Amino acid sequence: MSTSETQQSRRPRRTGQPIPVVVLAGFLGSGKTTLLNHLLAHRGGTRIGVVVNDFGSIEIDAMSVAGQVGDSMVSLGGGCLCCAVDGSELDAYLAKLADPAHRIDVIVIEASGLAEPQEMIRMLVAGENPDVRYGGMVEVVDAAEFDATRRRHPETDRHLAVADLVVLNKTDRVDAAERARIESVIGGLCPGIPLVAADHGRIDPELLFDRRPWTETRGQLSFEDLLGRAAEEDGDHGDHAGHAHTHYETTEFVTDDALSPRRFIDFLDARPAGLYRIKGFVYFGVPGHEEKYEVHAVGRFLRFAPLPWARAEPRRTQLVLIGSGTDGPALLSGLEACRESAPQDAPARSMWGVLRYVRQDAADPTG
């Protein structure tokens, strides 16, 4: 047994859901680090584990706060953990971050500018660590250098094709016509993949993960406070986070009726490109599948996880949909059409579409 396997076997097993691992990819200069720091500075109380691939080639404000960490793992006041890691060490570092003692909510991997994101995705999807799960791949694109990047790196098109969400960054450096042209090219390279426009990496963290309420600092400036202060010194006075929120619309759907799994999958398959995030719980009520199903979508990435109902918890569906330029009434109408009045009569095979997106080791919520 390897050292990492020995360490993993000695860890206490996480009792909650596996930690989502979001891959942040893009070529050097695209703005991945700026976007990551924005997420860290506006994360609320969410505890973020950060894995930085090819640390030596970049500078990260978060690590500047903590001091030079080399290849070690450090604990920061606000609860973030940062690792500088070689690709071959990825499993071992994810295992460390997933230790329940750290209470990490989400892990973000900032991939090297020259990394092959599909290889990272393959490793995460094929991984056997039950405490982490793949949470989607975000490709960051530099709008101002889009054509030059494609010339220097022909693999750009391949990277875009495997993305779940594309962030077109530095849109403040191109005019409206050029931005529209680039968006059209990206749309042709990866049809149906949602695209978010941003400047200085400012996207709403809720597009990638849930932000928990911020509680208190621990007698000193927290990591979030330090990043917020650094942002203010750089001229980002916090109100930009509010500006980011104004670009997105939130649609909420709640019903005590069961949903038809087939019609709901059809709804998800046809979701518009501007719908960036879906989260919540779904009640299908199909015999043999009466548990509640957590649903999590980032861009085109989709995952379901069966969970037991709490004692006396009402059987209902609760969904939050976050997007830009979406038609809220049309989304609600589509979800209303998914209601199922007699779920007990639905055949077990009607769940096949949902079960395709359930991790095998999560199929039994009592296991």
Side-chain angles (χ1 to χ4, degrees):
M1 180 179 289
S2 69
T3 301
S4 63
E5 288 173 332
T6 302
Q7 291 171 340
Q8 185 168 322
S9 65
R10 291 176 180 171
R11 298 201 317 279
R13 175 68 185 272
R14 175 177 297 276
T15 56
Q17 286 293 292
I19 300 171
V21 180
V22 177
V23 177
L24 194 61
F27 288 99
L28 293 173
S30 61
K32 298 190 304 295
T33 300
T34 303
L35 192 154
L36 174 59
N37 283 324
H38 175 78
L39 295 177
L40 290 170
H42 299 90
R43 63 190 170 85
T46 301
R47 298 172 74 90
I48 304 175
V50 179
V51 177
V52 181
N53 177 231
D54 196 15
F55 170 60
S57 66
I58 57 177
E59 296 179 2
I60 293 189
D61 294 344
M63 291 189 176
S64 298
V65 172
Q68 287 294 330
V69 298
D71 291 327
S72 64
M73 181 170 66
V74 296
S75 178
L76 303 174
C80 294
L81 294 170
C82 293
C83 300
V85 62
D86 178 274
S88 63
E89 300 170 318
L90 184 60
D91 285 341
Y93 275 92
L94 289 176
K96 289 181 180 180
L97 287 170
D99 189 314
H102 301 313
R103 296 184 291 127
I104 293 294
D105 297 308
V106 61
I107 297 172
V108 178
I109 298 177
E110 181 180 357
S112 158
L114 299 178
E116 285 293 340
Q118 57 266 52
E119 282 303 303
M120 231 169 238
I121 294 171
R122 182 190 60 76
M123 290 172 62
L124 291 168
V125 171
E128 297 182 355
N129 185 344
D131 293 339
V132 298
R133 60 170 173 79
Y134 175 56
M137 196 275 271
V138 179
E139 180 76 10
V140 184
V141 175
D142 182 343
E145 297 291 331
F146 179 66
D147 294 327
T149 299
R150 289 183 75 200
R151 285 193 298 270
R152 286 195 306 270
H153 303 286
E155 61 271 31
T156 296
D157 295 3
R158 186 174 70 249
H159 292 187
L160 285 167
V162 299
D164 297 298
L165 180 69
V166 175
V167 174
L168 182 61
N169 197 28
K170 305 185 184 181
T171 52
D172 56 313
R173 294 178 54 192
V174 298
D175 60 27
E178 177 65 358
R179 172 177 160 180
R181 182 190 70 83
I182 295 170
E183 290 178 347
S184 177
V185 172
I186 292 175
L189 294 172
C190 47
I193 303 300
L195 185 149
V196 180
D199 63 86
H200 298 89
R202 298 183 186 115
I203 67 170
D204 191 334
E206 288 282 353
L207 298 184
L208 304 183
F209 54 79
D210 292 341
R211 282 187 296 184
R212 305 192 187 286
W214 186 253
T215 53
E216 62 183 55
T217 57
R218 296 173 177 77
Q220 59 182 351
L221 279 179
S222 70
F223 184 43
E224 182 168 345
D225 294 332
L226 290 169
L227 283 175
R229 174 175 291 184
E232 289 183 3
E233 290 173 354
D234 289 339
D236 182 3
H237 296 288
D239 57 340
H240 287 296
H243 292 324
H245 291 219
T246 64
H247 294 115
Y248 308 115
E249 303 95 33
T250 298
T251 301
E252 297 182 0
F253 177 76
V254 179
T255 179
D256 290 329
D257 291 337
L259 296 192
S260 161
R262 286 175 172 168
R263 292 198 293 275
F264 187 55
I265 288 294
D266 288 343
F267 169 85
L268 294 174
D269 285 344
R271 62 192 186 273
L275 185 55
Y276 304 133
R277 178 94 192 275
I278 302 173
K279 58 181 180 177
F281 302 95
V282 185
Y283 171 52
F284 294 114
V286 175
H289 303 279
E290 291 91 349
E291 58 269 65
K292 68 178 177 182
Y293 280 77
E294 179 188 44
V295 59
H296 168 76
V298 172
R300 303 309 296 180
F301 172 75
L302 175 64
R303 180 191 66 87
F304 285 96
L307 300 171
W309 297 98
R311 183 171 306 209
E313 181 180 2
R315 273 51 173 166
R316 65 166 54 116
T317 291
Q318 302 178 78
L319 295 171
V320 176
L321 301 89
I322 304 172
S324 177
T326 53
D327 184 339
L331 292 175
L332 290 175
S333 176
L335 288 168
E336 290 284 350
C338 295
R339 291 176 186 260
E340 178 57 68
S341 59
Q344 68 278 4
D345 297 332
R349 64 177 179 275
S350 66
M351 286 292 295
W352 289 354
V354 171
L355 297 178
R356 284 176 48 213
Y357 298 100
V358 173
R359 217 169 90 159
Q360 285 304 108
D361 59 4
D364 180 5
T366 64

